[in-house]
Each structure stands twice: as C-alpha cells, then as structure tokens.
Amino acid sequence: MEAVIQKKSEKQGIDEVMPSNEPQDIQVGDKTVGKPFADNPKMAMRNVNVHYGDKQAIFDVNLDIAKNEVIAMIGPSGCGKSTFLRCLNRMNDTIESCRVTGQFILDDQDIYHPKQDIVPLRARVGMVFQKPNPFPKSIYENVAYGPKIHGLASRRVELDEIVEVSLRKAGLWEEVKDRLHSAGTGLSGGQQQRLCIARSIAVSPEVILMDEPCSALDPIATAKIEELIAELKQNFTIAIVTHSMQQAARVSDRTAYFHLGKLIEVNDTKRVFTNPEHDLTEAYITGRFG
Amino acid sequence: MDTSMLLVVGLLMTAIAYIAGRGRSISVASGVGGVKNLNSLPFYYGALTALWCGIPSFLLLAIWAIFDDYFISQIVVQELPEHVKNMSESELGLLMNTVVNTAQNSSLGLSSEPHILQAAERLRGLEQTNQMAMTVAFISAGIIMMMATWLRIKSNMPARVHVEHAFKWLLLGSACVAIFTTVGIVLSVLFESLRFFQSVPVTDFLFGLQWSPQMAIRADQVGGSGAFGAVPLFAGTMLISMIAMLIAVPTGLMAAIYLAEYAHPKVRSTIKPVLEVLAGVPTVVYGFFAALTVAPVLRDTGSLIGLDVSSESALAAGLVMGVMIIPFVSSLSDDVITAVPQSLRDGSFGLGATHSETIKKVVIPAALPGIVGGVLLAVSRAIGETMIVVMAAGLAAHLTMNPLESVTTVTVQIVKTLVGDQEFNSPKTLSAFALGLMLFTVTLVLNFIALQVVKKYREQYE
C-alpha cells in the first residue's frame, strides 16, 4: 500500500514538471486494461520496474508476447516504450545507472537470471535500431558478422549461404547481389536498415526487437520495411516500437499503449484503433496529445 | 622617420581608418533610416577602410625597403671615378662595404681616399633623402587610400562581402606559411647536401658500412681520412626505433582501449592526465634515467644470466624511448576510439558479440586511421629522438642488429658533427646535412606508405 502511495505521488510530481496539454481528468489507474496476456507466450514479463538512477522509468509492467505475433508499442515520447524494449535482450546492461527488476521469461528461461549468458540471449533476441547502423565493412561482412562470432558456419560455402538467405529474407538480395563486397555504409538509408535486419536475421533469432526502425527513412523505404515485417512474421516473433500510429495499425497484431512508464492498455490492434478501452488510449490515438 | 617608426605610424593610421570608416557608415546610415538599412554592419565598413588603408601602404613600404639599397648603391657606384668602377665585382663589393661603414661612422677613419669619403658623403645624403621620400610616400599612400574608401562608403556598399573575402586570403596565407617553411627547410638542407656529395660520392654515403667522420682539417694534422657510410647510423636508428615501437604500440594501444572502453569515467579522468604527464617529461630526464638506472640494471641482469650486455646498449635506449612515446599512441588512440559512434557498438552487442569481440572487430577497424596516425607520430618521435640515445646508447657507430651492444643514430651524429668548432667546407660538417636529408626522406616515405596502408584498410563510418 505504501509503495502505491509513493508511486502516485511520484507520478503527480512528473505531471507537475511536464508542461503538457494532456487531459488531466482521465485516471491512469494501476491496472493494465485489455489483453496483456497470451495463451502461447514466447516471452512473458511480470512486475517489471526500471530505474535510471533515482528516476523510475517503468512502473509494474506485465505483458506477454505471443509466438509469431507482431506487437506494436506506442505512446508519447518518454513513456518508456523504448526502455522496455531494450530490457527484452538486456541492451540496458550497457547503461550504468539503469536498474531493472521483475521477471523476463523467454521460453521458460529467466533472461535476467544471474547465470544467464547474454551472448546466446542476444543471438535469440535480435535488435534493429532506430538509426541504421551498418558496420563500416562490406555488405557481406556485415551479414556474416553474427554467424562468424557465434560459429554458425564452419565452411565458406555455408557462410555464403547464410548471407544469401538472410539478404533474401530481408528483401535486399536482388539489389546488392552484384556488389556484396562494397561498403555497407554506401547503401541508401532504407537499404542500410534492411541490411541491419538481414544482419540480425543471420544469427537465426527467435524474437526481433525493432526500435522505431523507420523513423529515419522516407515513405517508400518505410513501406518496404513494413512489407518485410509482414513476411518475417512467419518465422519470427516481432516487437516494434513506433511513433507512427498508422504504422502500428498496418503492421501489428496487438498494440500496447504506454503512458508515463505505465502500460495502460494492450489489445488487438483493430480494437485499439477503433474502440479503445481506456480513455487515455483514445485521447492519444485521436491526437489529443502526444 | 626610420622604418620601425613607420610601422608604428602605419598601425596608427590603420586604426584611425577603422574608426573613420565606421563613423562614416554610421553617419551615412542616419541618412537612410538607421544602421538596419545599411548593407553591412558598421564594423565591416570600418574593417574595410582599415584594410584599404593598411594593405597597400604596407605593401609599398615593404617593396620600397627591399629595393632601395640596391638603387642607392647603384647611384653611388655610377658616380665613382672611372678606374674604381672598372675593378672586379668582388673588389667593388669590398669598396662599397668601406663606403657604407664610413657613411655610418666617419670617425672610424677606415679610409682617407677622397673618392671614398666623397662617395660616403653622397651615400649619406641619398639615404636621408630616401628615408624622407619613403616616409612621405607611405603616409600619403595610407591617407589617400583611406580617403578614397571613406568617400566610397554608401549605404548599399557590400562591405561584408569584401571583408569576408579578405579574411579568406588571410587564412590562405596562414596555411601557406607552413608549406613555404617546409620547402625552405628542404631546399637549405638539399643545397648543403649537394656540397657534401661533391666531396663524398653518393654511393659511398648510402651503401658504405663504415662511419668515422674525423678528418684532418690541416694537411699536417694527424687524423682519419674520414669514412662516410651512413648504413650503421640508419641501422642503429631503425634498431632503437623498432625496440621503442615494440614497447609503445602494444602498451599504448591497450591502455587506450582500457581507457576508452572499460574504465569508469572517474578512473579515465584521473589516469589520462597522468599518462599525458609522461609526454611532458623533458627527454634529457628520460636520458639520464636510461643511462643511470635502466642501462646498469640491464647490464647486471645480463651478467646474471651470462649475457654480455654493454653498459650503453640499444636496448636501454629503446626501452626508455618506448615508455616516452606511450602517451602519443595512447592519447590519440583513446580519442579516436571514443569517437567511434555508440550505435556501432550497440549493433554489435545486439548481435550477441562480447565486449572484446566488439572492440576487435568493429571499434578498432573503425578507429584504424586515427590509431595509425598516432603510431606514425610516435615513429617520427622515435626516429628524431636524440637525447636518450646520446646518453644511453652511445656514440660509436657499430653496424649490428644485436640490441645488447651500443649503437648510435642519425640524429646523434648530426649533433656530434655540428657541436663545437667547425669548418663549413669540411665534409665532416656537411655530412650532417646529408644525414638530415636522408632522415627527412625516410620519414617522408614512411608517412607515405602508412597513408597508403590506411587508405586500403580503413573502414569509414559516415
């Protein structure tokens, strides 16, 4: 009870400092509404709290990610959706002040268990970043990087095949097959991002996390990535953070709405965008703030 | 007024021009509704007037000062008696010297010949006239240019564009200073070297295995005939530099990786300055550290395990030199490693690479050009280093690859041939320039090769 009170006061504190035009009359509530749980979860997160130093960024989030689904995370800037996403493959470990508590289960395995090795974890849960970040190496070397460090190919022929398959899956093969050995940084922004997707596919992950993968791309490149996400769904589980509600509506099966570090509502995407359960979600998707 | 006084006056004039130009623009501005309606800010009108006043008048002064001696002496020579004018050029030069000296200080009584005294008198008169003319020309040029610009100031005059343009030329000039200095150094070394190669064949110098530059200066003196084979010196330089680089590159690079990738920011901010203090220690201090501490330790250790280590060894010099250049490698490498974008590291971590894999395969390749730059700087330092070698490695030119023996380096020999009394016609002295030229060429080639290597292997991130 005490904890709840403290949380509330902290939340109000944030409200006071943030000059926002958001509706003051809507209650945030402590419970996530909708369907945060799934029958066949690939990943299950329970009671997740994240602190940066003294500041709490995520409050008591419970969420399942089902097998082979695309879940979109939306919400205004600073709502904690990227932070939450980065917890899923422990990318926040590199940030010193960041403290993560709660349970993260990937196929019955606790990924924050002290004995958990993050190397195989990150091979199973891949990540695509906001800004395309190909290594300053050739296109081939970019894709071969992951398989090489995980020892996935013992012979050159196998490696060649992994590279080709990954580039095909990322829809980039036809465009780059004649210049595999030229620099990856020489590609256009959209191609670079697809190269980064191919790079993470190459280590055969089970889950792919995408942190605003299209925010640095033009509409045509964005359309290509969205098409790609629809195809990747066959083989991978995908969690995508996006600022574009249209994008969330186009690509995802379920949508999770975050607000000031709390998970407000999770529902089927159609439901969220046509008939949201929570008033805050409705306020956000209708553009009353954000 | 003498020339230095004129310089002061010129600066004063320029300052006045600035104030006048600025004031003029403001008064022009009041006619068109305030400074906001001027094409440029008043500062630019002032600066433009100052430039127009200063540059032409100083140029005039410079040209005048360069050529006036020549014309004055021509006039004086023309007025000398016929028999004097027909003397040979060197004799005439001597005579003119006497004339100049007499003119400057007649009480010396250098000469009593009437034509010299007369010429000196004439010279003095001409110089006074010249100085007067120069003063008048300089000041009037400045004032005329100032007035002309002052009159040209209108509200629509694009003063800003002109001043920006002048500024660009100033920057270009600054860039040229370094280039011209280099060219000047090369030329001066080159010409002295050519004189050296007139007495010693190039092939003897380049391929000779013996270095003993002692030469008899007088015919009756006891002394060596001199052998100028540079191979032992270059071998010594290479040996010591190699030992130094073997110490400095791995240590420096690993220190840089630790500082940039693993160290806590607090640790980094403490260790980095401490490491850089190493670069501030004078090389002389390193020199006696090498000679008095390291070399004896090496000798004693050597004798313990039955090795014959000379008390002045290439190893001692190389070790200490290596420590000296660690900060060059580490500091520069640390900067470039830190500059590699975090997104590249995240990408690698996101694929499940460990920290050290990320460093080896992503960070170092991306930072390679900068690292090579730091190493190159260290190599140049090692090759050019003198004091440590003088003290710790000796002066004897042995041709050996054994680091336990004493060797000497190019720079040490350059110093050795140029200290004390010397004669600038003797090959011994001139050999210093040939060595300098060789050293310069070697470092240039090294730089060139390194640049090519970097170009081939660099991995460029945006």
Side-chain angles (χ1 to χ4, degrees):
Chain A
M1 188 60 206
E2 256 181 37
V4 174
I5 292 167
Q6 203 203 335
K7 236 182 288 163
K8 276 206 167 148
S9 64
E10 226 181 306
K11 194 220 151 252
Q12 279 160 1
I14 294 168
D15 270 353
E16 276 162 22
V17 269
M18 282 171 73
S20 70
N21 52 351
E22 60 195 68
Q24 299 291 332
D25 48 329
I26 303 171
Q27 284 294 311
V28 171
D30 284 330
K31 226 175 151 325
T32 305
V33 300
K35 304 193 293 184
F37 305 113
D39 299 333
N40 55 342
K42 178 74 191 169
M43 296 188 86
M45 278 62 70
R46 295 290 177 271
N47 307 319
V48 175
N49 286 284
V50 180
H51 293 80
Y52 289 113
D54 296 334
K55 198 175 164 278
Q56 188 160 8
I58 304 266
F59 299 85
D60 257 328
V61 168
N62 292 286
L63 180 67
D64 282 354
I65 300 177
K67 252 185 198 112
N68 291 16
E69 81 164 340
V70 178
I71 184 164
M73 301 176 186
I74 59 171
S77 297
C79 70
K81 53 195 191 304
S82 283
T83 301
F84 184 73
L85 190 79
R86 288 169 64 93
C87 288
L88 299 184
N89 70 345
R90 293 183 57 175
M91 280 305 282
N92 284 334
D93 288 15
T94 52
I95 300 167
E96 221 166 281
S97 62
C98 181
R99 196 159 45 82
V100 181
T101 57
Q103 258 192 323
F104 293 76
I105 307 293
L106 170 67
D107 287 341
D108 305 330
Q109 195 182 349
D110 180 3
I111 64 176
Y112 274 84
H113 193 277
K115 285 194 180 151
Q116 170 70 46
D117 184 358
I118 58 168
V119 169
L121 167 70
R122 287 189 186 146
R124 290 177 66 190
V125 184
M127 184 143 196
V128 176
F129 296 85
Q130 187 169 357
K131 206 169 146 254
N133 57 347
F135 300 133
K137 299 173 184 294
S138 69
I139 294 167
Y140 182 94
E141 285 297 326
N142 259 286
V143 183
Y145 182 84
K148 271 185 185 168
I149 56 175
H150 292 293
L152 299 183
S154 51
R155 283 179 305 140
R156 182 80 185 182
V157 193
E158 289 176 69
L159 195 60
D160 287 349
E161 197 185 327
I162 293 179
V163 170
E164 180 177 343
V165 169
S166 310
L167 283 172
R168 275 191 195 285
K169 278 187 191 161
L172 195 60
W173 175 254
E174 291 302 324
E175 291 161 56
V176 300
K177 63 181 175 190
D178 301 322
R179 46 169 175 155
L180 284 177
H181 295 283
S182 54
T185 44
L187 297 172
S188 73
Q191 289 174 322
Q192 285 187 12
Q193 194 62 301
R194 277 180 285 151
L195 178 63
C196 292
I197 293 175
R199 189 173 72 182
S200 41
I201 295 173
V203 293
S204 343
E206 294 152 35
V207 182
I208 301 177
L209 310 174
M210 298 185 175
D211 190 356
E212 299 178 34
C214 302
S215 65
L217 305 182
D218 65 72
I220 292 168
T222 302
K224 278 198 174 152
I225 303 269
E226 285 178 5
E227 253 171 61
L228 180 58
I229 291 172
E231 280 167 37
L232 293 175
K233 209 169 88 173
Q234 316 296 322
N235 303 309
F236 306 98
T237 302
I238 295 171
I240 176 170
V241 162
T242 175
H243 265 299
S244 152
M245 281 178 272
Q246 290 86 341
Q247 183 171 60
R250 282 192 298 259
V251 301
S252 69
D253 302 315
R254 273 198 311 157
T255 297
Y257 173 65
F258 283 80
H259 185 83
L260 292 174
K262 294 189 176 187
L263 181 54
I264 303 299
E265 173 171 357
V266 185
N267 254 323
D268 291 335
T269 297
K270 209 176 220 172
R271 171 87 200 265
V272 169
F273 286 100
T274 52
N275 183 19
E277 234 173 280
H278 201 286
D279 295 341
L280 268 178
T281 320
E282 186 176 5
Y284 180 66
I285 64 164
T286 52
R288 285 186 21 220
F289 65 89
Chain B
M1 271 190 273
D2 59 8
T3 315
S4 57
M5 192 64 201
L6 280 182
L7 288 178
V8 176
V9 171
L11 288 179
L12 213 68
M13 235 163 33
T14 315
I16 293 170
Y18 172 78
I19 295 165
R22 195 171 176 280
R24 169 73 175 170
S25 73
I26 290 171
S27 70
V28 165
S30 68
V32 293
V35 169
K36 67 177 193 298
N37 290 333
L38 280 180
N39 179 289
S40 316
L41 289 173
F43 164 79
Y44 288 104
Y45 291 97
L48 188 68
T49 318
L51 286 173
W52 270 114
C53 164
I55 294 174
S57 50
F58 276 111
L59 265 181
L60 179 76
L61 183 64
I63 293 169
W64 195 304
I66 289 169
F67 291 108
D68 62 352
D69 280 351
Y70 175 75
F71 286 114
I72 290 173
S73 64
Q74 281 301 308
I75 294 170
V76 174
V77 169
Q78 285 310 315
E79 290 174 7
L80 285 173
E82 275 308 309
H83 71 278
V84 181
K85 258 199 285 191
N86 293 336
M87 287 195 302
S88 76
E89 205 159 307
S90 56
E91 276 177 305
L92 200 60
L94 271 177
L95 185 113
M96 278 310 290
N97 249 339
T98 320
V99 171
V100 170
N101 283 333
T102 314
Q104 274 168 4
N105 201 340
S106 50
S107 63
L108 276 178
L110 284 171
S111 172
S112 52
E113 286 177 62
H115 65 268
I116 289 189
L117 288 177
Q118 200 182 349
E121 197 56 40
R122 175 80 175 129
L123 182 68
R124 205 160 13 188
L126 275 173
E127 267 177 353
Q128 268 166 10
T129 321
N130 171 53
Q131 203 67 38
M132 286 278 267
M134 187 155 82
T135 307
V136 170
F138 176 68
I139 293 178
S140 52
I143 290 175
I144 288 169
M145 292 310 292
M146 192 196 316
M147 291 300 291
T149 320
W150 193 82
L151 288 173
R152 272 170 54 213
I153 292 176
K154 302 266 162 27
S155 66
N156 61 354
M157 181 191 192
R160 180 168 13 206
V161 179
H162 295 312
V163 174
E164 292 290 326
H165 207 69
F167 192 64
K168 196 181 84 190
W169 282 98
L170 177 73
L171 296 182
L172 179 71
S174 309
C176 288
V177 167
I179 296 169
F180 287 136
T181 313
T182 316
V183 172
I185 291 174
V186 171
L187 287 183
S188 79
V189 172
L190 188 69
F191 287 125
E192 297 298 332
S193 305
L194 288 179
R195 278 177 64 195
F196 171 71
F197 289 129
Q198 278 164 11
S199 51
V200 176
V202 180
T203 46
D204 284 9
F205 177 74
L206 287 181
F207 304 111
L209 302 181
Q210 187 75 32
W211 176 266
S212 67
Q214 279 69 34
M215 281 199 101
I217 293 176
R218 293 191 314 274
D220 57 335
Q221 227 175 1
V222 183
S225 57
F228 293 95
V231 172
L233 305 187
F234 279 94
T237 305
M238 288 303 148
L239 179 63
I240 292 182
S241 305
M242 207 124 70
I243 297 170
M245 296 319 288
L246 282 179
I247 303 287
V249 171
T251 320
L253 198 53
M254 284 192 272
I257 290 171
Y258 171 73
L259 287 178
E261 293 284 331
Y262 291 99
H264 191 274
K266 268 187 201 153
V267 180
R268 182 170 188 255
S269 62
T270 321
I271 292 186
K272 208 179 171 198
V274 173
L275 207 60
E276 278 162 4
V277 166
L278 272 183
V281 177
T283 58
V284 173
V285 177
Y286 278 111
F288 53 70
F289 175 64
L292 300 181
T293 313
V294 178
V297 168
L298 285 178
R299 192 190 50 209
D300 296 346
T301 322
S303 63
L304 268 182
I305 54 173
L307 277 173
D308 182 25
V309 185
S310 104
S311 58
E312 289 184 325
S313 64
L315 189 59
L319 285 177
V320 174
M321 199 192 281
V323 172
M324 181 192 88
I325 55 186
I326 285 175
F328 286 89
V329 181
S330 74
S331 196
L332 281 170
S333 306
D334 175 67
D335 289 344
V336 291
I337 290 174
T338 317
V340 173
Q342 182 62 29
S343 68
L344 289 184
R345 290 188 192 95
D346 282 346
S348 175
F349 290 145
L351 289 168
T354 63
H355 203 158
S356 69
E357 281 168 338
T358 303
I359 292 168
K360 258 186 312 198
K361 297 193 173 159
V362 175
V363 177
I364 298 285
L368 193 68
I371 293 174
V372 173
V375 170
L376 262 186
L377 191 65
V379 172
S380 327
R381 278 299 298 245
I383 291 180
E385 176 49 44
T386 318
M387 284 319 294
I388 295 176
V389 188
V390 171
M391 295 189 182
L395 296 169
H398 292 145
L399 180 56
T400 175
M401 270 293 138
N402 180 0
L404 305 179
E405 281 183 42
S406 80
V407 295
T408 190
T409 65
V410 177
T411 49
V412 169
Q413 290 305 318
I414 292 177
V415 171
K416 206 178 137 196
T417 49
L418 287 184
V419 285
D421 291 339
Q422 60 218 298
E423 197 187 13
F424 260 84
N425 286 325
S426 131
K428 183 191 171 193
T429 313
L430 290 174
S431 69
F433 296 101
L435 287 175
L437 184 67
M438 273 294 287
L439 202 57
F440 186 83
T441 317
V442 168
T443 34
L444 204 69
V445 170
L446 274 182
N447 271 314
F448 182 74
I449 293 172
L451 278 182
Q452 293 305 312
V453 170
V454 167
K455 215 185 239 172
K456 185 146 184 254
Y457 291 104
R458 80 185 304 182
E459 296 189 338
Q460 199 166 11
Y461 55 88
E462 287 168 303

